[in-house]
Amino acid sequence: MRLKVIPVLAALLLSGCAPVQTVVNPAQLPPATDFGAHANPMEWWYVSAYLPAEGLALHWAQFRVQDSRVPVPLMISHVAVTDLRTGQLNFLEQPAGSGEVTSPPLRVRHGAWTLTQAGPEPTAPLSLKAGPLDLTLTPVKGPVLHPPGFSGSADTGVLFYQGITRLDLSGTVNGRAVRGQAWLDHQWGNQIPGRSALWDWFSVHLDGGRDLMVYRVRRPDGSVAQLIGSVVEPDGRVRAVPGLRAEPGEMWTSPTGRPYTLGWRLVSDEFDLSVRAVRREQELLSRSTRIAYWEGPIEVTGTWAATPAAGTGMMELVSGTWSP
């Protein structure tokens, strides 16, 4: 196989030319500490952060794609940094190529971009060096498996879902010293983004130490296949959100004509929260994955157990496939 064919095959797998493979059993859940690589078609590690005091928002995503048409797993990676003071959004991609993942301690490498953990303990600090990012991420809480342990359904494919919802962040972005808090996710399974599933995802650091995750998986026709949410308490305990509803609000159409829901009301038996996008112009068009998605910072206000609540976080809205 010629080398130049490999990026094309990786993009086709991500954008929908490969069938969903039924190799994931949601009845057999992994441990929350399972950060290493797996023998599944799709896997990714993901760090995101909204740093209000710094006027910055960022995310790094490392995909690991496996397909029988390619002899080795392929790595594809993204970094996006938004300067909210200037309105500048920089999106960098590393196209499909070789790399490595080992654990424990966790080490993820694609070219010169690396995520490296300082020791085998699940809460050991991590070093992220990727393009403009040179960051140290120190877990404030331990890893969790988000209830029910996976995202998706039988018809969309399933991704196991675990991570660390709150990490202290320090280091530099584009050479500028920054501090704040970050979120780390790890997912793997047989769900193919853009083809078998789309989604709306929210990660929120609430004042007082709670963390909230909401995940709405959609079929390509727009119908909702799954809605899940989890709360990670200040002491690290994780639990499912009871009676969850996600009500779409304000719509925005990007310059490419794709609609995104940028305003939401998240409601459950214990909270009533409004979600507002800090900045509209956050659509990302990935040449390496051929996926169009919106990724950006959010602010959250409302009530929790009838008392005022507020927080900040990141939102990801996957629109579907696109052709460069």
Side-chain angles (χ1 to χ4, degrees):
M1 181 178 297
R2 292 176 298 173
L3 184 62
K4 66 180 181 180
V5 175
I6 290 178
V8 175
L9 285 176
L12 291 177
L13 175 59
L14 281 161
S15 62
C17 287
V20 173
Q21 301 179 43
T22 55
V23 295
V24 176
N25 183 0
Q28 297 179 347
L29 297 178
T33 55
D34 189 359
F35 281 94
H38 299 83
N40 295 105
M42 185 63 56
E43 185 163 20
W44 62 73
W45 296 259
Y46 173 93
V47 172
S48 67
Y50 172 31
L51 312 177
E54 309 288 354
L56 291 174
L58 59 92
H59 79 271
W60 161 86
Q62 177 65 68
F63 301 94
R64 185 174 184 265
V65 182
Q66 296 194 82
D67 182 13
S68 60
R69 293 168 292 181
V70 181
V72 295
L74 297 176
M75 307 288 273
I76 300 171
S77 47
H78 297 173
V79 166
V81 176
T82 301
D83 187 328
L84 296 164
R85 296 169 182 171
T86 66
Q88 184 175 6
L89 169 59
N90 291 323
F91 183 48
L92 306 176
E93 301 182 80
Q94 289 201 111
S98 62
E100 64 176 337
V101 180
T102 57
S103 179
L106 178 63
R107 174 175 168 79
V108 181
R109 181 188 63 79
H110 179 203
W113 293 6
T114 60
L115 178 70
T116 307
Q117 197 160 26
E121 303 81 11
T123 55
L126 298 112
S127 172
L128 175 60
K129 298 180 184 295
L133 308 180
D134 188 350
L135 303 172
T136 297
L137 307 168
T138 303
V140 176
K141 302 177 183 179
V144 298
L145 192 68
H146 290 282
F150 61 90
S151 68
S153 61
D155 58 335
T156 66
V158 170
L159 295 171
F160 292 125
Y161 186 16
Q162 53 94 228
I164 299 173
T165 60
R166 193 174 291 236
L167 307 94
D168 285 336
L169 176 154
S170 62
T172 61
V173 176
N174 286 316
R176 187 179 115 196
V178 297
R179 301 187 70 86
Q181 293 192 316
W183 183 290
L184 168 65
D185 274 345
H186 178 213
Q187 294 187 259
W188 67 97
N190 60 10
Q191 190 184 104
I192 309 301
R195 175 184 183 257
S196 66
L198 312 173
W199 60 80
D200 310 302
W201 172 86
F202 311 82
S203 65
V204 183
H205 290 142
L206 290 156
D207 297 347
R210 278 195 181 106
D211 304 325
L212 172 67
M213 186 284 299
V214 172
Y215 209 144
R216 195 176 83 140
V217 179
R218 293 177 281 119
R219 300 179 183 91
D221 65 4
S223 60
V224 177
Q226 181 196 45
L227 175 63
I228 59 173
S230 64
V231 176
V232 182
E233 299 287 359
D235 63 5
R237 289 177 297 121
V238 63
R239 57 186 174 84
V241 173
L244 178 63
R245 303 198 314 272
E247 301 176 359
E250 178 194 2
M251 296 292 297
W252 174 73
T253 301
S254 74
T256 65
R258 293 175 174 83
Y260 295 94
T261 304
L262 300 188
W264 293 80
R265 183 183 175 209
L266 304 179
V267 185
S268 77
D269 295 346
E270 56 187 324
F271 58 74
D272 188 338
L273 302 171
S274 295
V275 176
R276 180 186 71 86
V278 175
R279 183 176 182 270
R280 290 184 170 188
E281 296 79 8
Q282 291 289 128
E283 183 182 47
L284 302 172
L285 303 175
S286 169
R287 290 182 174 275
S288 58
T289 64
R290 299 189 181 183
I291 299 292
Y293 67 106
W294 188 101
E295 179 94 17
I298 55 174
E299 294 181 347
V300 177
T301 57
T303 60
W304 194 296
T307 62
T312 59
M314 293 287 285
M315 178 168 68
E316 182 175 89
L317 313 171
V318 175
S319 172
T321 61
W322 81 290
S323 297

